[in-house]
């Protein structure tokens, strides 16, 4: 929710000592804020003064209402971008260059002129305590407004590109989270879980107990706030239902007895990092670590939802009626055949139509097996008619599968899925 995001940003800047500029919440008169931004970018009074002004700008943003925040973003995108005349002159300089040395200087000047002015302001936020989470929240807010203002697309593109640099996988730490992990971090797992809600602390304890693993990417600038995490069950054989994985009373296998690692929940924790590659690196790193630590593991699979299936299925002429509430007596064969076709054949712009399928296929997995009545809770019924699917990560072919999918759109599916899809043709 927007309120939660703004409140989180407020918490991040409580220790930014410079007070906010006196503004009306809708930013109808933006001149006071514009003056502070101009002075900040010009570094008037030196670097210390510029830092204080950047803190004022951040604190002022949080005083704005939705209209004011939109106007703030539009001001940055419209008035603090690059100067077209300066770029034209730099291009002319490059065109006129006759020696390698002249070209080197001209290219450097062109790069400088194409850099938007607002990047310097955004980069200043990063140097403050809490600056990275603040900037993530800023982009999340920007994503809300971008829908109604296409002019903000370039600003969003540049901010995402900056976040990609600051959250490069080489800067991240892969950490296994256990019941001994600090409570403040564990509490965030409960808040961020996006696939199978964590109902209580006892539920979380069960997900971190024997036969279970949880891994997260952490950034040194946000050590108590996971960026993305994955929950893993260590099993014998490939499971067909998520209920057994979440049943903490059921028998569990010791890590050395299991032959299958099941990735049953992957949660991105910050919408402001949308488009920043984290999940693909996380899956591969965890697969590598588990394979090294537990050589008894032979299979690496997911148990995943089909979030776009029901919306697609109801538009198909051969789709059976879908009961409003979960019922095991629905036409399982017909729905399984439809789902196999949906996952292995349906595309948009050369990529799998289902977003979860696209994620795993672009990481090198294959569509392996479908399961009826695997998740018959209301949410699972609403999205996937209660079905779930295994994506299989075969270590020897991950890279080849990934290249075929990314470069040619080839969806790698098992013979079982292909045969099942053929019955729906």
């Amino acid at each position: 929710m927007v309120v939660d995001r703004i409140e989180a940003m407020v918490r991040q800047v409580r220790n930014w000592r410079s007070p906010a500029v006196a503004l009306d919440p809708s930013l109808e008169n933006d001149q006071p804020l514009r003056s502070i931004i101009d002075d900040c970018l010009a570094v008037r009074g030196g670097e210390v003064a510029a830092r204080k002004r950047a803190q004022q700008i951040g604190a002022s943003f949080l005083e704005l209402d939705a209209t004011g925040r939109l106007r703030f973003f539009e001001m940055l995108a419209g008035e603090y971008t690059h100067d077209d005349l300066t770029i034209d002159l730099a291009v002319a300089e490059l065109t006129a260059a006759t020696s390698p040395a002249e070209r080197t200087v001209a290219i450097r000047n062109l790069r400088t002129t194409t850099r938007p002015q607002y990047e310097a302001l955004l980069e200043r936020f990063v140097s403050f305590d809490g600056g990275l989470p603040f900037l993530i929240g800023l982009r999340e807010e920007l994503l809300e407004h971008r829908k109604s203002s296409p002019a903000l697309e370039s600003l969003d593109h540049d901010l995402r590109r900056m976040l990609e640099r600051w959250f490069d996988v080489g800067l991240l730490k892969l950490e296994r989270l256990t019941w001994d992990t600090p409570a403040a971090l564990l509490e965030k797992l409960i808040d961020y879980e996006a696939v199978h809600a964590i109902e209580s602390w006892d539920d979380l304890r069960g997900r971190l107990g024997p036969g279970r693993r949880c891994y997260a990417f952490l950034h040194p600038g946000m050590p108590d706030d996971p960026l993305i995490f994955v929950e893993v069950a260590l099993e014998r054989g490939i499971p067909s239902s998520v209920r057994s994985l979440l049943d903490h009373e059921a028998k569990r296998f010791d890590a050395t007895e299991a032959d299958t690692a099941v990735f049953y929940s992957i949660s991105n924790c910050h919408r402001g990092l949308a488009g920043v590659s984290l999940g693909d690196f996380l899956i591969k790193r965890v697969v590598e670590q588990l394979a090294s630590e537990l050589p008894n593991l032979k299979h690496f699979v997911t148990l995943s939802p089909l979030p776009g299936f029901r919306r697609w299925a109801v538009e198909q002429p051969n789709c059976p009626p879908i009961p409003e509430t979960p019922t095991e007596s629905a036409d399982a064969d017909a729905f399984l055949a439809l789902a196999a076709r949906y996952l292995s054949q349906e595309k948009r712009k050369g990529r799998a139509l289902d977003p979860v399928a696209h994620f795993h296929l672009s990481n090198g997995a294959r569509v392996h097996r479908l399961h009826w009545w695997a998740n018959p809770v209301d949410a699972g019924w609403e999205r996937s008619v209660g079905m779930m699917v295994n994506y299989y990560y075969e270590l020897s072919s991950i890279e080849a599968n990934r290249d075929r999918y990314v470069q040619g759109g080839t969806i790698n599916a098992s013979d079982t899925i292909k045969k099942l899809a053929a019955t729906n043709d």
Side-chain angles (χ1 to χ4, degrees), residues 312-326:
W312 170 85
V314 296
E315 298 177 352
Q316 308 309 308
N318 58 345
C319 179
I322 302 178
E324 288 302 314
T325 56

Side-chain angles (χ1 to χ4, degrees), residues 317-357:
N318 58 345
C319 179
I322 302 178
E324 288 302 314
T325 56
T327 171
E328 193 170 5
S329 61
D331 193 342
D333 291 340
F335 284 122
L336 287 167
L338 268 174
R341 184 183 125 206
Y342 169 71
L343 294 172
S344 64
Q345 298 177 11
E346 296 299 316
K347 300 179 184 179
R348 180 172 55 220
K349 296 182 179 180
R351 55 186 280 179
L353 183 60
D354 187 83
V356 174

Side-chain angles (χ1 to χ4, degrees), residues 302-306 343 367-370 387-391:
T302 76
L303 188 58
S304 303
L306 297 69
L343 294 172
V367 187
H368 182 63
R369 189 181 301 167
L370 276 160
M387 290 180 289
M388 299 192 80
V389 58
N390 302 125
Y391 295 99

Side-chain angles (χ1 to χ4, degrees), residues 89 96 102 155 165 213 218 226 231 298 353 370:
L89 292 173
E102 289 178 346
L155 174 61
R165 294 199 303 269
R213 300 286 176 93
L218 301 176
E231 296 170 70
K298 306 301 180 186
L353 183 60
L370 276 160

Side-chain angles (χ1 to χ4, degrees), residues 174-205:
L174 178 67
E175 187 165 319
R176 180 185 172 187
L177 306 184
T178 70
W179 192 243
D180 294 325
T181 296
L185 201 160
L186 293 182
E187 189 173 14
K188 288 187 170 67
L189 297 186
I190 297 175
D191 293 337
Y192 291 147
E193 168 61 55
V195 183
H196 305 293
I198 300 175
E199 302 294 343
S200 64
W201 283 97
D202 285 341
D203 186 9
L204 177 60
R205 189 185 190 110

